[in-house]
Amino acid sequence: PIGLQILSAANKQSLAVAMATNLQFIRCEGFVYGHVGDEGWTEACAGDLLRYRRSIGGQSVSVFTDIKKKHSSHSITEDVSLIETVKSAEMFLSDGIIVTGKATGCPTHIPDISNCRSESNLPVLVGSGVNYDNLFDYLPIADCLIIGSHFKRDGHWSQRVDEHRVSQFMKFVCKIRKEF
């Protein structure tokens, strides 16, 4: 499957682009519970986004939702646990939950993934920090791995995609899959 995210919580725009280009999913920021991020305040958008998806006939585009999103402060929802956030995303009909580390390239904590997996029937996606060193840890417990920075030149988010890094990593993944 191929999907996209347009940064700064441009979730409706992501849906429109996904529909226009026949993509299978979007990555949605701020689906449930507002938060403060490096872009400022992000309002929860579940209801509006799903109504918009229906209005453009986009039910075939899955909405995978960040839970306690990276690069954000969750002090306003500090009393809402990770699992309560997952349950809210389920209630608002998320198609999958994305669990991340604190920032781009930072590994996602294994216990967070495991707890989400045990408490939810939704697919669980790892949304940051996947690399050669932790691939064996994530594959058995995640339904999907979102890889960005590791595929860039020198593993840095601001660089261009390095085709050789992608090719070598995917060869490694194929080899590992045979063991599972």
Side-chain angles (χ1 to χ4, degrees):
I2 299 176
L4 83 146
Q5 174 187 24
I6 300 176
L7 290 178
S8 299
N11 299 315
K12 286 183 178 179
Q13 292 87 342
S14 293
L15 268 173
V17 170
M19 281 294 296
T21 57
N22 294 314
L23 300 180
Q24 289 77 44
F25 71 90
I26 66 162
R27 180 176 186 167
C28 175
E29 303 176 61
F31 191 68
V32 293
Y33 297 106
H35 61 270
V36 177
D38 43 11
E39 307 97 345
W41 176 255
T42 298
E43 193 72 48
C45 69
D48 286 343
L49 184 64
L50 295 183
R51 284 187 289 275
Y52 176 71
R53 180 172 70 171
R54 180 173 295 282
S55 75
I56 64 170
Q59 293 90 325
S60 64
V61 178
S62 296
V63 176
F64 297 144
T65 57
D66 275 296
I67 303 296
K68 301 275 186 180
K69 178 188 160 329
K70 62 186 176 180
H71 299 288
S72 299
S73 168
H74 300 283
S75 58
I76 292 172
T77 58
E78 188 174 17
D79 60 332
V80 179
S81 72
L82 180 71
I83 298 307
E84 288 174 295
T85 306
V86 168
K87 294 293 186 186
S88 293
E90 270 186 319
M91 184 181 78
F92 280 97
L93 305 177
S94 171
D95 295 307
I97 54 173
I98 303 169
V99 187
T100 69
K102 292 286 183 191
T104 298
C106 292
T108 304
H109 296 289
I110 300 294
D112 289 346
I113 302 164
S114 296
N115 289 338
C116 290
R117 157 80 50 233
S118 67
E119 295 293 327
S120 174
N121 292 319
L122 293 175
V124 176
L125 295 80
V126 174
S128 69
V130 178
N131 58 45
Y132 284 105
D133 297 329
N134 57 28
L135 188 60
F136 279 104
D137 298 327
Y138 293 143
L139 279 177
I141 60 174
D143 294 297
C144 179
L145 306 174
I146 298 173
I147 304 171
S149 299
H150 188 73
F151 286 160
K152 303 288 186 88
R153 186 177 313 131
D154 300 323
H156 193 269
W157 66 268
S158 67
Q159 297 295 317
R160 291 186 169 272
V161 172
D162 182 330
E163 292 178 33
H164 180 71
R165 285 178 74 98
V166 174
S167 175
Q168 292 304 112
F169 190 85
M170 294 313 298
K171 285 178 186 175
F172 185 62
V173 168
C174 289
K175 178 182 171 187
I176 291 172
R177 281 184 176 160
K178 292 177 184 173
E179 296 175 21
F180 281 96

